[in-house]
Amino acid sequence: MDSAHVQDDLVEVLFTEKQIQDRLQEMADQIAADYEGRDLLLVGILRGAVMVMADLARALPRHCEMDWIAISSYGSGTKSSGVVRLLKDLDTDITNRHVLVVDEIIDTGLTLSWLVNSLGGRNAASVEIATLLRKPEALTMPVEPRYVGWDIPNEFVVGYGLDYRERYRNLRDIGTLAPHVYS
């Protein structure tokens, strides 16, 4: 879906599809260099990271394995509930594996902080984070991603996997959702 289809729902487009693809390619090039000679397991966080994970994996100039985990701290609102729930665990044993958690956004950091601690307790060789977006002003938990596409203001954004009540995930761009949509 193009942002023109939902222009009345957006305050502004922050990143276009082209900008997103270009930035993911830059991140993939850095990841490939950093993990040279090591097997890499990408762990995507369902459902929001589907777009980021797919395009990042395709941009990597090397083999990688992929697995998925589903965790939530949101429910259907626009702010974190503060409680992390595991909805689907990994199918892959990560013992002695180099794990790169791929997410679309770091908001409060609660979910990723919980996940990194959980995966670290499974004897992974390393656990790092790649995220397309980060909201530094919203962080309440210490989370240090190794790869960040962009830092953004503490506003509610949708598109490219980011949703509001399961809508806007298939928007090709990332934009700020207009308050009239969720108030």
Coordinates of all heavy atoms in Angstrom, one line a residue, residues 29-88:
D29 N 25.4 -4.7 4.8 CA 26.8 -4.7 4.5 C 27.7 -4.7 5.7 O 28.7 -5.4 5.8 CB 27.2 -3.5 3.6 CG 26.6 -3.5 2.2 OD1 26.1 -4.6 1.8 OD2 26.5 -2.5 1.5
Q30 N 27.3 -3.9 6.7 CA 28.0 -3.8 8.0 C 27.9 -5.1 8.7 O 28.8 -5.6 9.3 CB 27.5 -2.7 8.9 CG 28.3 -2.5 10.1 CD 29.8 -2.1 9.8 OE1 30.0 -1.2 9.1 NE2 30.7 -2.9 10.4
I31 N 26.7 -5.7 8.8 CA 26.5 -7.0 9.4 C 27.3 -8.1 8.8 O 28.0 -8.9 9.5 CB 25.0 -7.4 9.4 CG1 24.2 -6.4 10.3 CG2 24.7 -8.8 9.8 CD1 22.7 -6.5 10.1
A32 N 27.3 -8.1 7.5 CA 28.1 -9.1 6.8 C 29.6 -9.0 7.1 O 30.3 -10.0 7.3 CB 27.9 -9.0 5.2
A33 N 30.1 -7.8 7.2 CA 31.5 -7.6 7.5 C 31.8 -8.0 9.0 O 32.8 -8.6 9.3 CB 31.9 -6.1 7.3
D34 N 30.9 -7.6 9.9 CA 31.0 -7.9 11.3 C 31.0 -9.4 11.6 O 31.6 -9.9 12.6 CB 30.0 -7.2 12.2 CG 30.2 -5.7 12.2 OD1 31.3 -5.2 11.7 OD2 29.3 -4.9 12.6
Y35 N 30.2 -10.1 10.9 CA 30.0 -11.6 11.1 C 30.8 -12.5 10.1 O 30.5 -13.6 10.0 CB 28.5 -11.9 11.1 CG 27.8 -11.5 12.3 CD1 27.2 -10.2 12.4 CD2 27.7 -12.3 13.5 CE1 26.6 -9.8 13.5 CE2 27.1 -11.9 14.6 CZ 26.5 -10.6 14.6 OH 25.9 -10.2 15.8
E36 N 31.7 -11.9 9.5 CA 32.6 -12.6 8.5 C 33.1 -13.9 9.2 O 33.7 -13.8 10.3 CB 33.7 -11.7 8.0 CG 34.6 -12.4 7.0 CD 33.9 -12.7 5.7 OE1 33.1 -11.9 5.3 OE2 34.2 -13.7 5.1
G37 N 33.0 -15.0 8.6 CA 33.5 -16.3 9.1 C 32.7 -16.9 10.2 O 33.1 -17.9 10.7
R38 N 31.6 -16.3 10.6 CA 30.7 -16.9 11.6 C 29.3 -17.2 11.1 O 28.8 -16.4 10.3 CB 30.6 -15.9 12.8 CG 32.0 -15.7 13.5 CD 31.8 -14.9 14.7 NE 31.7 -13.4 14.3 CZ 31.4 -12.4 15.1 NH1 31.1 -12.7 16.3 NH2 31.4 -11.2 14.7
D39 N 28.8 -18.3 11.5 CA 27.4 -18.6 11.2 C 26.5 -17.6 11.9 O 26.6 -17.3 13.1 CB 27.0 -20.0 11.5 CG 27.7 -21.1 10.6 OD1 27.9 -20.7 9.5 OD2 27.8 -22.2 11.1
L40 N 25.5 -17.1 11.2 CA 24.6 -16.1 11.7 C 23.2 -16.6 11.7 O 22.7 -17.1 10.7 CB 24.7 -14.8 10.8 CG 23.8 -13.7 11.2 CD1 24.2 -13.2 12.6 CD2 24.0 -12.5 10.2
L41 N 22.5 -16.5 12.8 CA 21.1 -16.8 13.0 C 20.3 -15.5 13.2 O 20.6 -14.8 14.2 CB 20.9 -17.7 14.1 CG 19.4 -18.0 14.5 CD1 18.7 -18.8 13.3 CD2 19.3 -18.8 15.8
L42 N 19.5 -15.1 12.2 CA 18.6 -14.0 12.4 C 17.4 -14.4 13.1 O 16.7 -15.4 12.7 CB 18.2 -13.4 11.0 CG 19.3 -12.9 10.1 CD1 18.7 -12.3 8.8 CD2 20.2 -11.8 10.8
V43 N 17.0 -13.7 14.2 CA 15.8 -14.0 14.9 C 14.9 -12.8 14.8 O 15.2 -11.7 15.3 CB 16.1 -14.3 16.4 CG1 14.8 -14.4 17.2 CG2 16.9 -15.6 16.5
G44 N 13.8 -13.0 14.0 CA 12.8 -11.9 13.8 C 11.7 -12.0 14.9 O 11.3 -13.0 15.3
I45 N 11.3 -10.8 15.3 CA 10.2 -10.7 16.3 C 8.9 -10.5 15.5 O 8.7 -9.4 14.8 CB 10.5 -9.5 17.3 CG1 11.8 -9.8 18.0 CG2 9.3 -9.4 18.2 CD1 12.2 -8.7 19.0
L46 N 8.0 -11.5 15.6 CA 6.7 -11.4 14.9 C 5.8 -10.4 15.6 O 5.9 -10.3 16.8 CB 6.0 -12.8 14.9 CG 6.7 -13.8 14.1 CD1 6.1 -15.2 14.3 CD2 6.6 -13.5 12.6
R47 N 5.0 -9.7 14.9 CA 4.7 -9.7 13.5 C 5.4 -8.5 12.9 O 5.6 -8.4 11.7 CB 3.3 -9.6 13.2 CG 2.6 -11.0 13.4 CD 1.1 -10.9 13.2 NE 0.5 -10.2 14.4 CZ -0.6 -10.7 15.0 NH1 -1.2 -11.7 14.6 NH2 -1.0 -10.1 16.1
G48 N 5.7 -7.5 13.7 CA 6.2 -6.2 13.2 C 7.5 -6.3 12.4 O 7.7 -5.5 11.4
A49 N 8.4 -7.2 12.7 CA 9.7 -7.3 12.0 C 9.7 -8.0 10.7 O 10.7 -8.2 10.1 CB 10.7 -7.8 13.0
V50 N 8.6 -8.5 10.3 CA 8.5 -9.3 9.1 C 9.1 -8.6 7.9 O 10.0 -9.2 7.2 CB 7.1 -9.8 8.8 CG1 7.0 -10.4 7.4 CG2 6.6 -10.8 9.8
M51 N 8.7 -7.4 7.6 CA 9.2 -6.6 6.5 C 10.7 -6.4 6.6 O 11.5 -6.6 5.7 CB 8.5 -5.3 6.3 CG 7.0 -5.4 6.3 SD 6.4 -6.3 5.0 CE 4.6 -6.0 5.2
V52 N 11.2 -5.9 7.8 CA 12.6 -5.6 8.0 C 13.4 -6.9 7.9 O 14.4 -6.9 7.2 CB 12.8 -5.0 9.4 CG1 14.3 -4.8 9.7 CG2 12.0 -3.7 9.6
M53 N 13.0 -7.9 8.5 CA 13.7 -9.2 8.5 C 13.9 -9.7 7.0 O 14.9 -10.1 6.6 CB 13.0 -10.2 9.3 CG 13.6 -11.6 9.3 SD 14.8 -11.8 10.6 CE 14.6 -13.6 10.9
A54 N 12.8 -9.7 6.3 CA 12.8 -10.2 4.9 C 13.8 -9.4 4.1 O 14.6 -9.9 3.4 CB 11.4 -10.2 4.3
D55 N 13.6 -8.1 4.1 CA 14.5 -7.2 3.3 C 15.9 -7.2 3.7 O 16.9 -7.2 2.9 CB 13.9 -5.8 3.2 CG 12.6 -5.8 2.4 OD1 12.4 -6.7 1.6 OD2 11.9 -4.8 2.5
L56 N 16.2 -7.3 5.1 CA 17.5 -7.3 5.6 C 18.2 -8.6 5.1 O 19.3 -8.6 4.7 CB 17.5 -7.2 7.1 CG 18.9 -7.2 7.7 CD1 19.7 -6.0 7.3 CD2 18.8 -7.2 9.3
A57 N 17.5 -9.7 5.3 CA 18.1 -11.0 4.9 C 18.4 -11.1 3.4 O 19.4 -11.6 3.0 CB 17.1 -12.2 5.3
R58 N 17.5 -10.5 2.6 CA 17.7 -10.5 1.1 C 18.9 -9.6 0.8 O 19.6 -9.8 -0.2 CB 16.5 -10.0 0.4 CG 15.4 -11.1 0.3 CD 14.3 -10.7 -0.7 NE 13.6 -9.6 -0.3 CZ 12.3 -9.6 0.1 NH1 11.7 -10.8 0.2 NH2 11.7 -8.5 0.5
A59 N 19.2 -8.6 1.6 CA 20.3 -7.6 1.3 C 21.6 -8.2 1.7 O 22.7 -7.7 1.3 CB 20.0 -6.3 2.0
L60 N 21.6 -9.2 2.6 CA 22.9 -9.8 3.1 C 23.6 -10.6 1.9 O 22.9 -11.4 1.2 CB 22.7 -10.8 4.2 CG 22.4 -10.2 5.6 CD1 21.9 -11.2 6.6 CD2 23.6 -9.5 6.1
P61 N 24.8 -10.3 1.7 CA 25.6 -11.0 0.6 C 26.2 -12.3 1.1 O 27.3 -12.7 0.7 CB 26.7 -10.0 0.3 CG 27.0 -9.3 1.6 CD 25.6 -9.2 2.3
R62 N 25.5 -13.0 2.0 CA 26.0 -14.3 2.5 C 24.8 -15.1 3.0 O 23.7 -14.6 3.1 CB 26.9 -14.0 3.7 CG 26.2 -13.1 4.7 CD 26.8 -13.0 6.1 NE 26.8 -14.3 6.7 CZ 27.6 -14.7 7.7 NH1 28.3 -13.8 8.3 NH2 27.5 -15.9 8.2
H63 N 25.1 -16.4 3.4 CA 24.1 -17.3 3.9 C 23.7 -16.9 5.3 O 24.6 -16.4 6.1 CB 24.5 -18.7 3.9 CG 24.7 -19.3 2.5 ND1 23.6 -19.5 1.7 CD2 25.8 -19.6 1.8 CE1 24.1 -20.0 0.5 NE2 25.4 -20.1 0.6
C64 N 22.5 -17.0 5.7 CA 22.1 -16.9 7.1 C 20.9 -17.8 7.4 O 20.2 -18.1 6.4 CB 21.8 -15.4 7.5 SG 20.4 -14.8 6.6
E65 N 20.7 -18.2 8.6 CA 19.5 -18.9 9.0 C 18.6 -17.9 9.6 O 19.0 -16.9 10.1 CB 19.9 -20.0 10.0 CG 20.7 -21.1 9.4 CD 21.0 -22.2 10.4 OE1 20.0 -22.6 11.1 OE2 22.1 -22.6 10.5
M66 N 17.3 -18.3 9.6 CA 16.3 -17.4 10.2 C 15.3 -18.2 11.1 O 15.0 -19.4 10.8 CB 15.4 -16.8 9.1 CG 16.2 -15.7 8.3 SD 15.1 -14.8 7.1 CE 15.2 -15.9 5.7
D67 N 14.9 -17.6 12.1 CA 13.9 -18.2 13.0 C 13.0 -17.0 13.5 O 13.4 -15.8 13.3 CB 14.5 -19.0 14.2 CG 13.5 -19.9 14.8 OD1 12.3 -19.9 14.5 OD2 14.0 -20.8 15.6
W68 N 11.9 -17.3 14.1 CA 11.0 -16.3 14.6 C 10.5 -16.5 16.0 O 10.4 -17.7 16.4 CB 9.7 -16.3 13.7 CG 10.0 -16.0 12.3 CD1 10.3 -16.9 11.2 CD2 10.1 -14.7 11.7 NE1 10.6 -16.2 10.1 CE2 10.5 -14.9 10.3 CE3 10.0 -13.4 12.2 CZ2 10.6 -13.8 9.4 CZ3 10.1 -12.3 11.3 CH2 10.4 -12.5 10.0
I69 N 10.3 -15.5 16.7 CA 9.8 -15.5 18.0 C 8.7 -14.5 18.1 O 8.7 -13.4 17.4 CB 10.9 -15.2 19.1 CG1 10.4 -15.6 20.5 CG2 11.4 -13.8 19.0 CD1 11.6 -15.7 21.5
A70 N 7.6 -14.7 18.9 CA 6.5 -13.8 19.0 C 6.4 -13.4 20.5 O 6.2 -14.3 21.3 CB 5.2 -14.4 18.5
I71 N 6.6 -12.1 20.8 CA 6.5 -11.6 22.1 C 5.7 -10.3 22.0 O 5.7 -9.7 21.0 CB 7.8 -11.4 22.8 CG1 8.8 -10.6 22.0 CG2 8.4 -12.7 23.2 CD1 10.1 -10.4 22.6
S72 N 5.0 -9.9 23.1 CA 4.2 -8.7 23.1 C 4.3 -8.0 24.4 O 4.3 -8.6 25.5 CB 2.8 -9.1 22.7 OG 2.0 -7.9 22.8
S73 N 4.2 -6.7 24.3 CA 4.1 -5.9 25.5 C 3.1 -4.8 25.2 O 3.0 -3.8 25.9 CB 5.4 -5.3 26.0 OG 5.9 -4.3 25.1
Y74 N 2.3 -4.9 24.1 CA 1.4 -3.8 23.7 C -0.1 -4.1 23.8 O -0.8 -3.2 24.2 CB 1.7 -3.4 22.2 CG 2.8 -2.4 22.2 CD1 4.1 -2.8 22.1 CD2 2.5 -1.1 22.1 CE1 5.1 -1.9 22.1 CE2 3.6 -0.1 22.1 CZ 4.9 -0.6 22.0 OH 5.9 0.3 22.0
G75 N -0.5 -5.3 23.4 CA -2.0 -5.4 23.3 C -2.4 -4.7 22.0 O -1.8 -4.7 21.0
S76 N -3.5 -3.9 22.2 CA -4.0 -3.2 21.0 C -3.9 -1.7 21.1 O -4.4 -1.0 20.3 CB -5.5 -3.5 20.8 OG -6.2 -3.1 21.9
G77 N -3.1 -1.2 22.1 CA -3.0 0.2 22.3 C -1.8 0.8 21.6 O -1.2 0.2 20.8
T78 N -1.5 2.1 22.0 CA -0.4 2.8 21.4 C 0.8 2.9 22.4 O 1.8 3.4 22.0 CB -0.8 4.2 21.0 OG1 -1.2 4.9 22.1 CG2 -1.9 4.2 19.9
K79 N 0.6 2.4 23.6 CA 1.7 2.4 24.6 C 1.9 1.0 25.2 O 1.0 0.2 25.3 CB 1.4 3.4 25.7 CG 1.2 4.8 25.2 CD 1.5 5.8 26.4 CE 1.4 7.2 26.0 NZ 2.1 7.7 24.9
S80 N 3.1 0.7 25.6 CA 3.4 -0.6 26.1 C 2.6 -0.8 27.4 O 2.4 0.1 28.2 CB 4.9 -0.6 26.5 OG 5.2 -1.9 27.1
S81 N 2.2 -2.1 27.6 CA 1.4 -2.5 28.8 C 2.4 -2.7 29.9 O 1.9 -2.7 31.1 CB 0.7 -3.8 28.5 OG 1.6 -4.9 28.4
G82 N 3.7 -2.9 29.7 CA 4.6 -3.1 30.8 C 4.8 -4.5 31.1 O 5.6 -4.9 31.9
V83 N 4.1 -5.4 30.5 CA 4.2 -6.9 30.8 C 4.5 -7.6 29.4 O 3.8 -7.4 28.4 CB 2.8 -7.4 31.3 CG1 2.9 -8.9 31.5 CG2 2.4 -6.7 32.6
V84 N 5.6 -8.3 29.5 CA 6.0 -9.1 28.3 C 5.4 -10.5 28.3 O 5.5 -11.2 29.3 CB 7.6 -9.2 28.2 CG1 8.0 -10.0 27.0 CG2 8.2 -7.8 28.2
R85 N 4.8 -10.8 27.2 CA 4.3 -12.2 27.1 C 4.9 -12.9 25.9 O 5.1 -12.3 24.8 CB 2.8 -12.1 26.8 CG 2.0 -11.5 27.9 CD 0.5 -11.5 27.6 NE 0.2 -11.0 26.3 CZ -0.7 -11.6 25.5 NH1 -1.5 -12.6 25.9 NH2 -0.9 -11.1 24.3
L86 N 5.4 -14.2 26.1 CA 5.9 -15.0 25.1 C 4.8 -15.7 24.4 O 4.0 -16.4 25.0 CB 6.9 -16.0 25.6 CG 7.5 -17.0 24.7 CD1 8.4 -16.3 23.6 CD2 8.3 -18.1 25.4
L87 N 4.6 -15.4 23.1 CA 3.5 -16.0 22.3 C 3.9 -17.2 21.5 O 3.2 -18.1 21.2 CB 2.9 -14.9 21.4 CG 2.4 -13.6 22.2 CD1 1.9 -12.6 21.2 CD2 1.3 -13.9 23.2
K88 N 5.2 -17.1 21.0 CA 5.8 -18.2 20.2 C 7.3 -18.2 20.4 O 7.9 -17.2 20.2 CB 5.5 -18.0 18.7 CG 6.0 -19.2 17.8 CD 6.6 -18.6 16.5 CE 7.3 -19.7 15.7 NZ 8.6 -20.1 16.2

